Amino acid sequence: MPVYRFAQRVHWDDLMSLEGFIDMSIWWDNLIYKLSCPTHAYLACDTVVEDISLLCLGDHRKGLLTQLRNKMRITLIVAAASILIIQQTLWLGIEGQCKEPREISKLNLSVTYDLPHFVSDTPVQKLLVFNGSVYVGATNRLTALSGDLKKTHEYKTGPVHEGPRCSACEGCRDQPPNANNTSMALLMETYYDPELFSCGTVGNGVCSRHLLEDGELDVEVNCLGSHNKDGSRYVAGPAGTQIVNVEVGGVVRFFVANSEPLNPSLPSSSRLHHTISIRKMWETQDRFEFVSEHSYMDLTPGLRGNYPLHYIYSFQSGAYVYFLTVQREGGTSKAFHTRIVRMCSSDLELLHYVEMPFECIYSEKGRRKRSTQMVFNILQAAHVAKAGNDLRRDMDLKEEDDVLFAAFARSKPDSPEPTASSTVCVISVAEINSFFKDFIQKGHTKPLYHLSGTEMKPFNETSFGCGKHEKGYRLEVTRTHPRKDWFNGRFRNVLLTSIAVVPMQDHTVATLGTAEGRIIQVVVSRFGNTEPHVDFLLDTRPVSSEVAVLSPERPDASLLLVTGNKVSKVPVIGPGCEHLWNCSTCLLAPAFMGCGWCRNRNLCTHSPQCAASHWSQDSCPLLITKVFPATAPLKGHTNITICGKNFGFSKKDRFDGKLIEVDVAGAKCKMTKKDSSNHRLVCRLDHVNVSNSDSWVKVRSGKEEEQFMGFSFVNPVIKGIFPEFGPKSGGTRLTIRGSYLNSGSSRKVTIGGATCVVQSESADMLTCQTPSQDSPSQHKVQLHMDGVIREAPANYTYNEDPLIHSVQPTRSFISGGSTVTAAGVYLHSAKQPQMVLSGPAFNKDKEVFV
């Protein structure tokens, strides 16, 4: 039989041609009800959905419509008594339910913060922090800022005029500018003096050395040259550069990695920049030098311009320098992946060079507990930091161990372009070195296929260290050990573009930036809560992967984040507390945030923003929004439901029923813990004998207390029933009148022990549908309320069912108007008999009989 579904008002005239049942979903007071009616019954339903709900459900203001689910089937029956009967079946849960909290997120994502910031005239590319000062590398500008991001000095780096006859350092000063200078690298070297090195795109990527005195940038500025014209002065390539400077044995080395674009028509000037190289800085601090032709490697000639290679991040840890890249998986592959590149920091030549794939995975469990593994292949940002005490204990780390935190994305097919799906993987640098050692010793290596150098060093499968007697190697590891997403898919619908990690107290706090300009802060923990405690909009532009940490050892440590031409200062402890939606979220936030609940403002704040007497970090004020039922019969066992919030709050982030005491109108109410939560309490009253003048419901939760007025104990009375008789087949609509008939948490009407299904109820009237009996008889009518029984003053009488022998006339005009007479026996069995005529649809070509 077909089923028809309607989302709006449906009328009888529209249904005459349908066969089957009409299914409806009715929304009322945010609750949903489902009904199913046969099409021929719709005349009895007053033809509209709204009237069906009124007829079948009764007066919603009296509490019956608080059922979460109410499914019924309405059918039309012409019984012996010629009465229209509506049959109803209800599946009832606890009468009246507390609405679940509406917060989808524990954070108010619309809150914004006015943070300290610096706005440059041009786009910002690089950041560096030294001795409390901030240095900003932007297009044509090098700016020095104070710790609160106020400008202290500025040095112009461009624009300049460039041409084949122009000086690499000065350009052609007598010609009008034709080239902007984009900042490609910014680094500090302190072995000789405090020196700031700035490398840009002009002059084929030469670097300038700024001797810092009192933070000024123009006291002494030198453009670095090449020793013996070996080309070592051309440092920064136009596609992106990562540089690590290291001092070993009194010699300063610059490890330089230049990204390679996908551009088959590369200009000849790009050949000046080696893909990977090591430079020695002379003691005169005015020039660079390659100690030999083994100090650099380049993409093989056949790949250059056709093999995109992007260096994302670089760092030095222990005896090694590391670069993280995004590149193709192999010479013929079009798929992209991430690699970790490692070199010995003591080398002046590329003697110990090895690459290894680096992969982050997330396993999503399916409906049948099968896992679908997703590979997040392209690195977006990374940061190396120490771990806080908790994470160090979780990962079994030493205090001095460095940890790599990496944000990955899934790429589009055969492309380095990311999709809006991210993961974060965490691995100690010691574990990275362990993998390198293990794979090399087991021979899971091969020669580098994409890099070439003059007189390439042979690779050696037994050598993996940096000692003087170690044989040289230039290897590519063929195996990988995938890392699992630390946050278990939490960011799989977000494109993370930056990451910075700082220990704070015992915690390890990660600050993540997104492509939408949002900042997310979350504690990195293996076993604790890993929900973000901060999520706010910093800017409408993407957050750059370029980040810096200001005063990392201090409690007021901050992160410097770049969005376009803006540098913002975001505290590691968070920008504020106002984004925490409610009291429980506020007080459960990490302790280092210093948040508390301001009761008179109903807001999460820091203590200076609230009067001391109204600010709390220990408990949340209780709120009672509803108590039902509002009345209970004396001597009954009534379940009381109390709606509100912050019940049983504890800093352990779970409902603690042991903290709860409930007093209802002067009587103790015993908690039902399995049905209770922080927004709903269910308790049971046990045989209260005396009605108290106290009408308050009082709840104590720890040191908090709240009360709600409007509860009373009552003595229900049945004053009468109508009608007092009906046919033995049942189906009569019985009306019971009295007082407090809807009191208590459960009600049932019985006639002679059989249930009379309740259809509607209020304080003074209750209706139900009489059950059937086998033979004519009289029975008591009883109302059962929470174990209390009230009896009607009169019995209900069952009569013989009516029997119709004949109907005259059997035909009539289409327009109606004829008087119809039904003859039979026992027609007086029903108090208010009615007659309903029905038949097949009218057809003008033939007669229709009733």
Side-chain angles (χ1 to χ4, degrees):
M1 181 176 292
V3 173
Y4 307 94
R5 291 178 172 83
F6 296 87
Q8 54 190 353
R9 298 169 69 98
V10 182
H11 289 269
W12 170 257
D13 294 340
D14 301 323
L15 298 174
M16 290 301 295
S17 62
L18 300 180
E19 295 180 0
F21 284 83
I22 308 300
D23 281 4
M24 296 163 291
S25 294
I26 299 174
W27 283 91
W28 200 336
D29 289 348
N30 295 323
L31 302 176
I32 190 167
Y33 308 91
K34 294 186 179 298
L35 301 92
S36 180
C37 281
T39 56
H40 66 275
Y42 253 65
L43 185 60
C45 299
D46 201 17
T47 76
V48 294
V49 170
E50 288 83 355
D51 288 332
I52 293 174
S53 63
L54 284 171
L55 178 63
C56 299
L57 298 179
D59 186 355
H60 73 284
R61 292 169 298 181
K62 300 300 184 181
L64 187 59
L65 282 189
T66 53
Q67 310 304 329
L68 284 178
R69 291 181 301 166
N70 197 329
K71 184 177 180 180
M72 59 198 67
R73 171 157 292 181
I74 303 173
T75 59
L76 181 65
I77 301 176
V78 181
S82 302
I83 299 174
L84 172 69
I85 301 173
I86 300 177
Q87 293 185 333
Q88 173 190 35
T89 304
L90 303 177
W91 287 268
L92 303 179
I94 299 174
E95 181 182 330
Q97 296 287 349
C98 302
K99 292 182 179 179
E100 293 291 329
R102 292 186 176 182
E103 293 91 349
I104 298 175
S105 168
K106 293 183 179 181
L107 308 180
N108 185 348
L109 303 183
S110 64
V111 171
T112 57
Y113 291 97
D114 185 15
L115 299 171
H117 61 272
F118 165 74
V119 179
S120 172
D121 295 334
T122 56
V124 174
Q125 291 91 31
K126 295 295 177 180
L127 288 176
L128 186 144
V129 173
F130 178 70
N131 284 350
S133 294
V134 180
Y135 298 93
V136 179
T139 302
N140 300 328
R141 297 284 189 278
L142 179 59
T143 307
L145 308 176
S146 62
D148 56 359
L149 303 189
K150 303 297 182 184
K151 185 191 295 185
T152 57
H153 298 91
E154 186 173 80
Y155 183 84
K156 287 188 65 175
T157 61
V160 300
H161 184 92
E162 288 206 294
R165 298 182 180 180
C166 297
S167 164
C169 290
E170 300 179 357
C172 293
R173 292 190 173 183
D174 56 342
Q175 299 293 323
N178 65 357
N180 289 321
N181 192 4
T182 300
S183 181
M184 303 303 289
L186 205 59
L187 54 150
M188 185 67 63
E189 178 52 55
T190 59
Y191 180 69
Y192 297 106
D193 298 292
E195 302 166 309
L196 178 67
F197 289 83
S198 172
C199 312
T201 52
V202 300
N204 290 317
V206 296
C207 300
S208 295
R209 166 186 167 272
H210 300 256
L211 179 64
L212 298 182
E213 290 186 5
D214 299 324
E216 296 184 15
L217 296 170
D218 55 0
V219 173
E220 182 180 324
V221 182
N222 305 112
C223 180
L224 276 75
S226 301
H227 183 68
N228 292 331
K229 298 182 179 181
D230 61 2
S232 57
R233 71 183 309 180
Y234 304 118
V235 177
T241 301
Q242 290 289 332
I243 302 177
V244 177
N245 55 309
V246 181
E247 180 273 323
V248 178
V251 177
V252 176
R253 300 154 170 81
F254 282 69
F255 291 76
V256 180
N258 283 306
S259 296
E260 297 282 355
L262 182 61
N263 184 3
S265 58
L266 279 174
S268 58
S269 60
S270 66
R271 312 297 179 184
L272 297 172
H273 310 100
H274 297 292
T275 304
I276 190 84
S277 60
I278 306 173
R279 292 168 169 72
K280 168 188 173 183
M281 189 176 74
W282 272 58
E283 295 179 4
T284 54
Q285 304 169 55
D286 61 351
R287 72 187 91 167
F288 290 119
E289 176 189 13
F290 292 130
V291 298
S292 78
E293 293 179 337
H294 300 305
S295 296
Y296 50 82
M297 289 191 293
D298 297 303
L299 279 181
T300 58
L303 292 179
R304 203 154 199 188
N306 298 288
Y307 184 88
L309 172 61
H310 189 194
Y311 289 91
I312 306 293
Y313 183 70
S314 59
F315 64 97
Q316 184 263 332
S317 177
Y320 300 101
V321 170
Y322 302 82
F323 292 92
L324 276 70
T325 74
V326 170
Q327 61 193 85
R328 287 201 173 119
E329 292 182 358
T332 59
S333 174
K334 293 183 178 180
F336 284 80
H337 70 169
T338 298
R339 294 188 186 183
I340 301 177
V341 176
R342 191 188 74 176
M343 295 169 281
C344 292
S345 59
S346 58
D347 285 351
L348 284 169
E349 297 176 300
L350 292 169
L351 301 177
H352 308 91
Y353 179 98
V354 62
E355 299 181 355
M356 178 174 63
F358 185 22
E359 204 170 75
C360 194
I361 61 173
Y362 165 63
S363 296
E364 187 174 43
K365 291 185 178 180
R367 292 182 179 179
R368 298 182 180 179
K369 297 184 179 181
R370 294 179 180 177
S371 295
T372 301
Q373 182 172 291
M374 293 183 287
V375 176
F376 290 75
N377 55 323
I378 54 172
L379 184 75
Q380 296 299 292
H383 190 237
V384 166
K386 305 294 184 185
N389 290 337
D390 291 347
L391 183 61
R392 193 163 60 241
R393 184 171 55 252
D394 291 348
M395 297 181 65
D396 194 23
L397 301 174
K398 299 177 182 177
E399 185 174 358
E400 67 273 12
D401 283 350
D402 288 325
V403 180
L404 173 63
F405 302 85
F408 284 81
R410 297 188 77 188
S411 73
K412 294 181 179 180
D414 297 335
S415 169
E417 185 177 351
T419 63
S421 186
S422 302
T423 53
V424 175
C425 278
V426 181
I427 184 172
S428 70
V429 176
E431 194 170 8
I432 292 173
N433 291 332
S434 177
F435 287 141
F436 273 124
K437 180 178 179 179
D438 183 59
F439 289 140
I440 292 175
Q441 284 183 325
K442 292 179 179 178
H444 300 311
T445 59
K446 65 180 181 180
L448 297 170
Y449 75 93
H450 60 296
L451 294 174
S452 63
T454 306
E455 299 179 8
M456 291 283 287
K457 293 283 183 180
F459 72 98
N460 190 299
E461 294 160 347
T462 62
S463 182
F464 48 84
C466 292
K468 291 183 179 180
H469 302 291
E470 292 286 346
K471 296 181 179 180
Y473 54 87
R474 291 179 177 176
L475 303 173
E476 175 186 333
V477 173
T478 57
R479 299 288 184 91
T480 184
H481 193 288
R483 313 304 295 174
K484 291 184 179 180
D485 177 22
W486 197 268
F487 295 103
N488 196 31
R490 183 174 298 279
F491 303 112
R492 62 185 181 274
N493 297 317
V494 178
L495 177 55
L496 299 177
T497 54
S498 76
I499 183 170
V501 179
V502 180
M504 180 57 62
Q505 297 177 5
D506 289 334
H507 301 291
T508 305
V509 182
T511 300
L512 310 170
T514 76
E516 289 78 31
R518 300 194 69 86
I519 298 301
I520 300 169
Q521 290 183 314
V522 58
V523 172
V524 183
S525 172
R526 175 162 285 171
F527 305 111
N529 181 17
T530 57
E531 289 186 40
H533 55 270
V534 170
D535 188 343
F536 71 99
L537 184 67
L538 178 68
D539 202 330
T540 57
R541 295 166 292 189
V543 181
S544 168
S545 61
E546 184 71 14
V547 299
V549 183
L550 189 63
S551 307
E553 305 296 330
R554 293 172 46 176
D556 61 348
S558 296
L559 298 163
L560 302 178
L561 305 173
V562 176
T563 52
N565 64 333
K566 182 179 179 181
V567 179
S568 299
K569 182 179 179 181
V570 179
V572 174
I573 63 171
C577 303
E578 289 80 358
H579 62 279
L580 299 169
W581 264 118
N582 53 45
C583 180
S584 59
T585 301
C586 177
L587 301 194
L588 291 172
F592 59 75
M593 293 184 70
C595 295
W597 191 251
C598 189
R599 295 170 183 249
N600 62 328
R601 296 180 62 190
N602 200 33
L603 188 69
C604 190
T605 69
H606 288 139
S607 57
Q609 299 169 288
C610 183
S613 59
H614 294 287
W615 195 73
S616 172
Q617 286 187 302
D618 300 321
S619 61
C620 289
L622 302 182
L623 176 66
I624 299 176
T625 58
K626 184 179 180 182
V627 175
F628 53 86
T631 57
L634 288 169
K635 300 183 180 180
H637 305 283
T638 301
N639 289 326
I640 304 296
T641 300
I642 304 170
C643 300
K645 64 180 181 180
N646 299 329
F647 302 137
F649 170 80
S650 73
K651 284 294 192 79
K652 296 180 180 179
D653 194 17
R654 64 173 181 264
F655 172 75
D656 189 351
K658 296 178 181 178
L659 300 174
I660 304 293
E661 293 181 9
V662 180
D663 183 288
V664 177
K668 295 295 182 183
C669 196
K670 186 177 180 181
M671 279 275 299
T672 307
K673 294 181 181 179
K674 67 182 181 65
D675 296 322
S676 299
S677 66
N678 60 1
H679 69 277
R680 179 185 68 241
L681 299 179
V682 178
C683 64
R684 185 178 177 86
L685 292 169
D686 190 13
H687 205 77
V688 178
N689 291 316
V690 181
S691 178
N692 198 313
S693 59
D694 185 358
S695 62
W696 292 95
V697 175
K698 299 177 182 179
V699 175
R700 283 174 292 277
S701 179
K703 66 180 183 180
E704 300 290 336
E705 184 172 337
E706 178 66 329
Q707 55 187 9
F708 186 91
M709 186 177 184
F711 185 89
S712 58
F713 289 102
V714 297
N715 185 20
V717 176
I718 299 178
K719 297 178 181 179
I721 61 172
F722 178 86
E724 295 182 359
F725 62 88
K728 68 177 183 180
S729 58
T732 300
R733 183 183 178 92
L734 179 66
T735 299
I736 303 173
R737 296 190 181 276
S739 56
Y740 307 117
L741 300 181
N742 64 345
S743 63
S745 54
S746 65
R747 286 160 297 283
K748 184 176 74 169
V749 178
T750 60
I751 302 177
T755 299
C756 185
V757 178
V758 175
Q759 294 179 318
S760 68
E761 57 186 1
S762 65
D764 55 6
M765 186 175 73
L766 184 150
T767 64
C768 65
Q769 181 178 290
T770 61
S772 63
Q773 293 290 344
D774 294 334
S775 61
S777 55
Q778 287 189 349
H779 296 281
K780 293 179 180 179
V781 178
Q782 294 180 325
L783 174 60
H784 304 252
M785 296 175 290
D786 299 339
V788 174
I789 300 175
R790 294 293 183 266
E791 192 170 297
N795 291 339
Y796 182 81
T797 301
Y798 283 96
N799 297 323
E800 290 286 357
D801 287 343
L803 180 62
I804 298 176
H805 293 154
S806 63
V807 176
Q808 293 293 332
T810 60
R811 67 185 68 186
S812 181
F813 301 106
I814 297 174
S815 58
S818 299
T819 299
V820 178
T821 301
V825 295
Y826 306 121
L827 299 184
H828 66 284
S829 293
K831 184 72 174 179
Q832 295 177 310
Q834 297 179 10
M835 184 184 299
V836 177
L837 305 179
S838 64
F842 173 72
N843 188 319
K844 67 180 181 179
D845 295 327
K846 66 178 182 179
E847 295 178 313
V848 175
F849 294 88
V850 176

